Amino acid sequence: MNTGSDEPGEVAVAANDARSDRAAEQQEQALGSRAPAFIKARRILHLSWQVGIFVVGLAVVVAGIIMLPLPGPGWVVIFGGMAIWATEFVWAQLVLRWTKRKVTEAAQRALDPKVRRRNIILTSIGLVLIAAIMGFYVWKFGLVMPWKIKDQ
């Protein structure tokens, strides 16, 4: 059966296959240094470029680690530092690719109706428990802050 052309013998190719092939080619091309050609041509310059990228990426990752317990987008900054490293180092590109794949898989699992239903039920149960504890506290102590409660 001819699905997209009036010419005999031509076969339509699924768009998803073309996209996945193109993505695989881009991923294979993406491995390695992305430094400009004139930097790659000189060994000393390329080594200093890599050291600079490593130091900048390390500073960003350390800032993200500091932001984990403090206010701020800690994980986003850490992944930003990994992306900086991935511009120059293959190991960081592989780690970033693995992380992206796992995040995509987790997002797809989270959109599964059974998982969503379970998450909604667990959230509802948690909210009911918190409301019950708060209601008990107000019933027992009134609207008095905990540091003003006297020995009873």
Side-chain angles (χ1 to χ4, degrees):
M1 179 163 105
N2 195 351
T3 59
S5 173
D6 292 333
E7 300 295 321
E10 287 188 26
V11 178
V13 177
N16 289 340
D17 293 340
R19 272 190 248 133
S20 64
D21 291 342
R22 202 171 347 146
E25 289 175 15
Q26 288 174 351
Q27 286 178 351
E28 291 302 320
Q29 293 173 355
L31 291 178
S33 176
R34 294 188 184 142
F38 73 92
I39 291 177
K40 287 182 187 178
R42 293 164 183 84
R43 178 79 176 131
I44 301 282
L45 191 56
H46 191 234
L47 187 60
S48 61
W49 175 270
Q50 286 181 326
V51 169
I53 293 292
F54 183 80
V55 169
V56 170
L58 183 64
V60 173
V61 168
V62 167
I65 290 171
I66 291 171
M67 285 185 207
L68 287 176
L70 300 175
W75 285 110
V76 174
V77 175
I78 290 172
F79 290 128
M82 288 296 295
I84 291 171
W85 279 338
T87 63
E88 197 58 35
F89 303 108
V90 174
W91 62 268
Q93 292 169 0
L94 295 174
V95 168
L96 205 57
R97 185 180 297 167
W98 178 83
T99 305
K100 286 179 184 178
R101 188 174 58 245
K102 290 298 179 184
V103 166
T104 302
E105 290 172 5
Q108 289 174 349
R109 279 195 310 268
L111 293 176
D112 180 29
K114 291 180 182 177
V115 174
R116 290 184 71 195
R117 191 175 316 118
R118 182 198 66 203
N119 290 345
I120 290 172
I121 290 170
L122 290 175
T123 302
S124 301
I125 290 171
L127 289 174
V128 167
L129 286 174
I130 290 172
I133 291 169
M134 288 176 59
F136 176 76
Y137 178 84
V138 171
W139 173 72
K140 182 75 174 164
F141 303 108
L143 288 175
V144 179
M145 294 297 142
W147 50 88
K148 292 186 178 180
I149 296 176
K150 297 178 182 165
D151 292 332
Q152 295 181 1

